[in-house]
Amino acid sequence: DPQNPWSHNNRGLVLIQLGRDQDALDAFARSIALNPRNPQAYFNRARLLDGRGRSEEALADYTASVRLAPCFGEALVMRARLLGRLERMDEAVADYRAHATCHPFEVEALAEFAAAELRVAREHGDDVALAAAQMRFDELTVRFPANADVLRLRGHARAQGHDFQGALEDADLAIG
């Protein structure tokens, strides 16, 4: 059905797999034109654009997706990661916080949230925020013991803070 937005969205996903990026972008655009309230079409187009280095366009589509579905977990995390790459860490932390509110058991995103909070606290020289972010990691290791994602990201954060012994301990625990 040429008027079914989901058909165009699905076609776009297949076109990505075939390496036909422009055709995929056109399919997502058609899906959005048929149903501008579909967060999935914006998200799929954003992922394609993000993967091709078209950051500002991707950010606009991730934002549209989140605006339409505020608890769309993948969109929040992907936008947070993109904002981090764009060095917009305060905004990235806000997205991770929104994600944590909607999805409190998604471990990798929670660990990324804690790492982003640590980075912002260090950038701002805020010792109180730094301690709070470190406590978030400690809480995650209690809630999700021996989780490799938490340990890997906590170790990375510790190394950035020059706690190399702690980073090594986390790496050893993550390896098992």
Side-chain angles (χ1 to χ4, degrees):
D1 176 6
Q3 297 303 311
N4 184 328
W6 287 104
S7 296
H8 291 282
N9 184 66
N10 292 343
R11 184 171 191 272
L13 293 172
V14 171
L15 288 164
I16 290 172
Q17 297 303 313
L18 294 172
R20 295 171 53 188
D21 291 355
Q22 187 55 54
D23 291 334
L25 290 172
D26 293 343
F28 295 134
R30 180 71 178 138
S31 178
I32 291 166
L34 290 169
N35 179 7
R37 304 216 30 91
N38 177 2
Q40 191 67 49
Y42 288 101
F43 174 75
N44 290 335
R45 186 170 69 180
R47 288 195 59 178
L48 175 57
L49 292 166
D50 194 4
R52 302 311 180 261
R54 295 167 63 178
S55 299
E56 292 303 324
E57 293 169 275
L59 184 58
D61 276 352
Y62 285 136
T63 299
S65 186
V66 170
R67 191 176 320 111
L68 292 167
C71 279
F72 188 167
E74 283 182 281
L76 283 164
V77 169
M78 294 301 290
R79 185 172 73 172
R81 289 174 181 161
L82 175 56
L83 288 164
R85 290 193 310 275
L86 295 173
E87 301 295 323
R88 295 166 58 177
M89 290 308 298
D90 290 325
E91 293 170 82
V93 166
D95 275 357
Y96 282 122
R97 183 172 289 113
H99 182 275
T101 299
C102 295
H103 306 279
F105 299 105
E106 290 188 13
V107 180
E108 184 176 0
L110 291 170
E112 288 179 27
F113 175 29
E117 281 186 318
L118 274 172
R119 183 173 166 191
V120 168
R122 283 193 188 106
E123 288 174 0
H124 293 289
D126 185 339
D127 290 336
V128 173
L130 184 62
Q134 289 169 334
M135 285 177 55
R136 182 178 302 281
F137 265 125
D138 293 341
E139 175 189 325
L140 287 171
T141 58
V142 170
R143 284 178 61 195
F144 306 102
N147 182 285
D149 288 326
V150 172
L151 294 168
R152 177 180 52 81
L153 287 165
R154 184 177 71 174
H156 180 70
R158 283 179 164 180
Q160 287 179 326
H162 303 286
D163 176 8
F164 299 112
Q165 186 59 43
L168 181 59
E169 290 169 10
D170 285 339
D172 289 342
L173 285 170
I175 290 170

